[in-house]
Amino acid sequence: MKAQARYTLPGPIADFIGDAPLIADQVGESPSRVYHFTRGNDVFFLKASAAVYAPTTYSVRREAQVLQWLAGHLNVPEVVRVADNADGEFMLTR
């Protein structure tokens, strides 16, 4: 299923995605939205969390920090970009 994010994406995130179609991922339990898209031969994931979740354990920025720390210890997705705006927090992973 193709879908567009219901958020205004921050510049660094929107620039990276470009005109690639975002495909909604229906798996997961958090209130965040997850999409995947391709850029060249790589598959990337966009995780978007509403601003109301920023101070909670659902914070995408917090998750990005955990993934970056874990990268030195475990095989985890690569954090490509993290940004936020008034709509929420956004993370791109590969």
Side-chain angles (χ1 to χ4, degrees):
M1 167 193 299
K2 291 187 179 184
Q4 293 301 321
R6 298 186 319 178
Y7 307 96
T8 300
L9 298 174
I13 300 291
D15 292 345
F16 189 90
I17 295 170
D19 61 357
L22 297 175
I23 301 167
D25 185 348
Q26 303 300 321
V27 177
E29 297 295 324
S30 83
S32 300
R33 302 266 182 197
V34 178
Y35 305 89
H36 69 274
F37 64 97
T38 57
R39 184 173 172 198
N41 293 324
D42 293 322
V43 176
F44 294 89
F45 294 86
L46 165 65
K47 188 166 191 178
S49 177
V52 68
Y53 296 112
T56 73
T57 57
Y58 293 119
S59 166
V60 169
R61 186 169 287 284
R62 178 181 175 274
E63 181 178 346
Q65 291 170 340
V66 170
L67 287 173
Q68 289 168 328
W69 181 85
L70 285 172
H73 307 284
L74 298 171
N75 186 19
V76 295
E78 172 191 358
V79 175
V80 176
R81 295 215 171 134
V82 180
D84 56 64
N85 62 20
D87 287 338
E89 299 176 334
F90 306 85
M91 171 176 61
L92 293 173
T93 59
R94 173 181 13 214

